[in-house]
Amino acid sequence: MEIVKAPKALLLILCASLLFVGYTIDALSYDHSATIECLKEPLKPQYNGGIIVNPEFTYGLKGWSSFGGNGGKIIHKTSEDGNSFIVAHSRNQPYDTFSQKIYLHKENLYSFSAWIQVSHGKGPVTAVFKTTDGFTFAGSAVARSGCWSMLKGGLTVDSSGYAELYFQSNNTNAEVWVDNVSLQPFTKEQWRSHQVEGINKARKRDVKVHVIDSKGESLHGANIHFRPRQNKASFPFGCVINKDILGNQAAQNWFLSRFSVTVFGNELKWYATERFRGAENYTDADAMLAFAKQNGIPVRGHCIFWDSPDYQPNWVPSLSPEEIKDAAYKRLQSVVSRYSGQFINWDVNNENLHFQYFEQILGANASDVFFQMANQLDPATRMFMNEFNTLEWSGDTAASPAQYVTKLQEIKNFYPNIPTGIGLESHFSTPNIPYVRAALDTLASAGVPIWLTELDVSVENGTETQASYLEQILREAHSHTAVEGIVLWAARNETGCYRMCLTDENYNNLPTGVVVDKLIDEWKPQISEGKSDSNGEFKTLLFHGDYDVTINHPSTNYTLSRRFEVKAPETSVQNSEDTISPMILHVQVDV
């Protein structure tokens, strides 16, 4: 440990410690645990089942009833290891399973989980709540035979009353097995406290200043002042841009005063850079990248391919399969080589859980090959999947968190050393916030960075509701320890915006822009100051970032000023149960 001499015998020592000063809340803790592993026996129900009656089926079928009315039957079974569970068999319809009636309050947020299995084959099983207002999907998971899969989700309801929980599976030839069901209500205040706890863990770090005199005794009454050196949060928070920002000083000023990362809307897509076969044109993308570099704004690479048949260059569909292969490989070689090392990550084959254009033409492992080729050309850049409805709609089984992670694992199995990431487009209408948290929990089990890459909210419910929903989603995402960046999809052009604008045409904030500015201000590093206590200590919690710290004591006129960096943990992906080490600043003052 190095001691740095200073005038007036004021000494400064910087070091790191493996202690943890935790943040405590007076609320029921949220269980972030989730797994995509298929286990021989299910884990215990979260929250001991919450408000579910007989969650472990210890008492047979008590609390559970047959559901569907189309001939399906239910029975109680026990495994060789003594584990009890419920079985739906002789099913004729997807919803021929079992149910439990539960009273739900509209003011609560509900966390749901269950363990599922099917008698043979595999396929998605969905948890559904039938309410007086309709049907609400709590989430889905891929069920397999021979092992148990975790289904984690959540929901809110529009009105209080009784609801009926049931499960559905399109594989009517298979039995559906369920065990260890949990439904835990949280109040809005409890939910918000979890978010605060998550932000304190993921975005901040404990800092402790310890002041001693020349004899090594604790010194009371020293003045400590932390002032941030930057105006923006270290957490990557950005917005999409398009070519209209070039030469538009008002748009540039508005963007640069707020955001720390960006992505190009359409200008890098294949149909934009090669409108005519063999005639590549990167003029717009090059100019936009130059603008970003000039202003120190990192850029996401979006996208190498788009797997939808509707968004190929219009000359591609007329080619033969072999010609499409040659054209696709040329496209990948061209764009990745041109921008190698200049983007923070690449969206490799956009939306390839929903679409399989290249897979149908080039073979089932087309996406795997694209990831491999892109990584070989740009090995330092992380390669992302990018998909919609993984967070936005709990009823889309094609892009459920379980399906997403399964596809990601397929890519890793094909090319093990590739650094991958999870991109979530996040085009919301009415958000299901408990499901968003549960989905992020499940995705976090993959152990790779998660970004919300194209976040917007439709205006169908009015501008004030749109802004309220946007704030809810942003707070939830920012507070989750696995989320490493957020990009809004709200670029203006001469005709408006895609689905969500943040400003009017004169760059005056709309309600959504007001929300964004409020959260930017809330999330940026803040001034912190105080005095050392009788133990010579001052403790504070600071956002990650660079600070100027000044320390003095009333007994001396000298003030020491130093730069102090509050760092995030070394690991790029934090587990919600990990202990985060604080920074400790030791100061010795001769008095």
Side-chain angles (χ1 to χ4, degrees):
M1 185 179 296
E2 181 183 3
I3 299 179
V4 182
K5 293 290 185 180
K8 305 276 188 176
L10 194 62
L11 303 175
L12 178 68
I13 306 169
L14 290 169
C15 69
S17 171
L18 295 178
L19 301 175
F20 176 59
V21 181
Y23 176 81
T24 59
I25 55 173
D26 184 20
L28 177 65
S29 295
Y30 176 85
D31 188 345
H32 281 280
S33 63
T35 181
I36 56 167
E37 294 185 37
C38 203
L39 306 179
K40 181 181 178 182
E41 295 292 345
L43 301 180
K44 288 291 184 180
Q46 295 184 321
Y47 315 105
N48 295 316
I51 59 176
I52 294 292
V53 175
N54 192 20
E56 299 180 66
F57 302 95
T58 306
Y59 305 103
L61 297 178
K62 180 181 178 181
W64 297 88
S65 304
S66 179
F67 186 85
N70 289 284
K73 298 179 181 179
I74 65 173
I75 58 173
H76 174 265
K77 280 190 176 182
T78 304
S79 71
E80 294 179 357
D81 295 330
N83 180 56
S84 297
F85 54 94
I86 193 171
V87 175
H89 65 94
S90 304
R91 303 170 53 243
N92 297 309
Q93 297 292 335
Y95 45 81
D96 284 341
T97 53
F98 28 74
S99 67
Q100 183 170 133
K101 288 187 176 179
I102 307 156
Y103 193 90
L104 302 180
H105 294 268
K106 69 176 183 178
E107 296 301 319
N108 286 341
L109 299 93
Y110 291 89
S111 176
F112 176 82
S113 62
W115 289 83
I116 57 175
Q117 187 174 164
V118 289
S119 58
H120 57 274
K122 68 175 183 179
V125 173
T126 304
V128 186
F129 284 79
K130 181 182 179 183
T131 72
T132 56
D133 300 308
F135 296 86
T136 298
F137 297 94
S140 68
V142 179
R144 296 170 173 83
S145 62
C147 57
W148 293 92
S149 299
M150 186 180 189
L151 188 165
K152 189 170 189 184
L155 74 154
T156 59
V157 290
D158 294 329
S159 57
S160 300
Y162 279 98
E164 196 163 11
L165 161 66
Y166 68 94
F167 297 81
Q168 68 180 35
S169 167
N170 289 332
N171 184 7
T172 55
N173 294 320
E175 296 176 354
V176 175
W177 302 3
V178 170
D179 198 6
N180 295 355
V181 186
S182 174
L183 184 68
Q184 178 60 49
F186 293 96
T187 65
K188 292 179 180 178
E189 292 74 21
Q190 289 172 326
W191 201 266
R192 181 75 184 100
S193 72
H194 304 153
Q195 293 175 338
V196 172
E197 183 181 29
I199 289 171
N200 288 349
K201 181 179 179 58
R203 316 298 169 210
K204 297 182 178 181
R205 196 118 179 227
D206 289 289
V207 173
K208 182 170 70 174
V209 180
H210 185 212
V211 186
I212 57 175
D213 62 19
S214 58
K215 298 178 181 179
E217 296 179 356
S218 296
L219 193 60
H220 175 265
N223 300 306
I224 300 105
H225 183 94
F226 285 91
R227 179 182 294 276
R229 294 174 62 91
Q230 75 274 14
N231 235 7
K232 296 179 182 179
S234 62
F235 175 80
F237 184 49
C239 187
V240 62
I241 60 173
N242 55 42
K243 63 183 179 181
D244 295 70
I245 200 170
L246 301 174
N248 186 334
Q249 194 62 51
Q252 292 179 15
N253 292 342
W254 180 86
F255 174 87
L256 293 171
S257 64
R258 289 162 171 81
F259 299 114
S260 59
V261 66
T262 194
V263 67
F264 306 159
N266 296 312
E267 288 79 3
L268 200 64
K269 291 169 182 171
W270 192 7
Y271 61 71
T273 63
E274 195 175 358
R275 292 181 60 193
F276 305 99
R277 187 179 184 184
E280 294 179 336
N281 187 342
Y282 291 99
T283 302
D284 290 336
D286 285 349
M288 292 164 68
L289 181 60
F291 162 75
K293 283 183 174 182
Q294 181 181 354
N295 292 283
I297 304 293
V299 182
R300 299 191 69 250
H302 178 77
C303 54
I304 300 173
F305 294 110
W306 195 344
D307 221 2
S308 169
D310 296 332
Y311 295 102
Q312 306 307 320
N314 56 19
W315 51 269
V316 167
S318 63
L319 302 181
S320 68
E322 192 61 31
E323 288 175 321
I324 291 177
K325 179 180 179 180
D326 290 344
Y329 287 1
K330 180 184 176 184
R331 153 67 178 178
L332 189 149
Q333 172 78 33
S334 173
V335 71
V336 179
S337 297
R338 185 181 190 89
Y339 298 108
S340 179
Q342 301 186 71
F343 294 144
I344 55 174
N345 41 59
W346 280 106
D347 292 334
V348 178
N349 192 13
N350 204 41
E351 299 175 356
N352 66 327
L353 288 176
H354 284 98
F355 305 109
Q356 289 81 41
Y357 179 78
F358 292 104
E359 287 81 356
Q360 291 170 359
I361 297 171
L362 307 182
N365 67 345
S367 290
D368 305 333
V369 173
F370 290 160
F371 272 84
Q372 179 185 26
M373 293 176 65
N375 175 247
Q376 290 172 338
L377 292 168
D378 193 0
T381 301
R382 190 172 291 274
M383 303 293 158
F384 272 61
M385 288 178 57
N386 195 50
E387 196 55 74
F388 65 92
N389 275 355
T390 304
L391 291 186
E392 302 97 305
W393 186 35
S394 51
D396 189 343
T397 58
S400 70
Q403 294 283 23
Y404 197 116
V405 176
T406 298
K407 178 63 178 178
L408 193 67
Q409 189 58 53
E410 174 195 306
I411 295 167
K412 294 285 287 185
N413 291 340
F414 183 85
Y415 193 52
N417 296 325
I418 185 172
T420 56
I422 293 173
L424 307 169
E425 292 184 16
S426 307
H427 297 296
F428 284 90
S429 294
T430 301
N432 177 350
I433 293 298
Y435 177 75
V436 170
R437 184 180 292 183
L440 291 171
D441 291 342
T442 301
L443 294 165
S445 66
V448 301
I450 297 174
W451 281 62
L452 276 63
T453 57
E454 304 179 17
L455 174 58
D456 61 19
V457 181
S458 69
V459 74
E460 61 191 43
N461 296 310
T463 57
E464 294 298 330
T465 300
Q466 180 189 39
S468 175
Y469 286 166
L470 178 62
E471 181 171 354
Q472 292 175 39
I473 298 161
L474 285 171
R475 288 192 181 280
E476 191 61 50
H478 183 252
S479 69
H480 200 285
T481 59
V483 174
E484 296 196 5
I486 300 173
V487 179
L488 301 170
W489 205 254
R492 287 202 67 92
N493 56 40
E494 58 185 13
T495 61
C497 308
Y498 172 59
R499 295 171 81 235
M500 180 181 78
C501 286
L502 299 179
T503 72
D504 62 19
E505 61 274 13
N506 296 315
Y507 296 94
N508 299 309
N509 274 343
L510 298 171
T512 48
V514 172
V515 163
V516 167
D517 280 359
K518 178 176 72 172
L519 294 181
I520 286 174
D521 187 63
E522 186 178 313
W523 296 344
K524 69 183 181 182
Q526 308 290 335
I527 290 173
S528 181
E529 56 188 2
K531 294 179 180 291
S532 59
D533 60 18
S534 58
N535 296 317
E537 294 181 351
F538 168 69
K539 299 176 182 178
T540 188
L541 188 64
L542 298 176
F543 277 105
H544 303 153
D546 288 337
Y547 293 81
D548 287 323
V549 56
T550 58
I551 305 168
N552 61 48
H553 192 272
S555 61
T556 176
N557 293 325
Y558 179 75
T559 298
L560 178 67
S561 296
R562 281 298 177 89
R563 179 175 177 174
F564 187 79
E565 183 180 5
V566 180
K567 297 181 180 179
E570 293 298 324
T571 54
S572 61
V573 179
Q574 300 176 35
N575 183 289
S576 60
E577 304 302 322
D578 287 346
T579 297
I580 299 174
S581 58
M583 306 299 294
I584 298 182
L585 180 65
H586 291 292
V587 179
Q588 180 179 320
V589 182
D590 282 343
V591 295

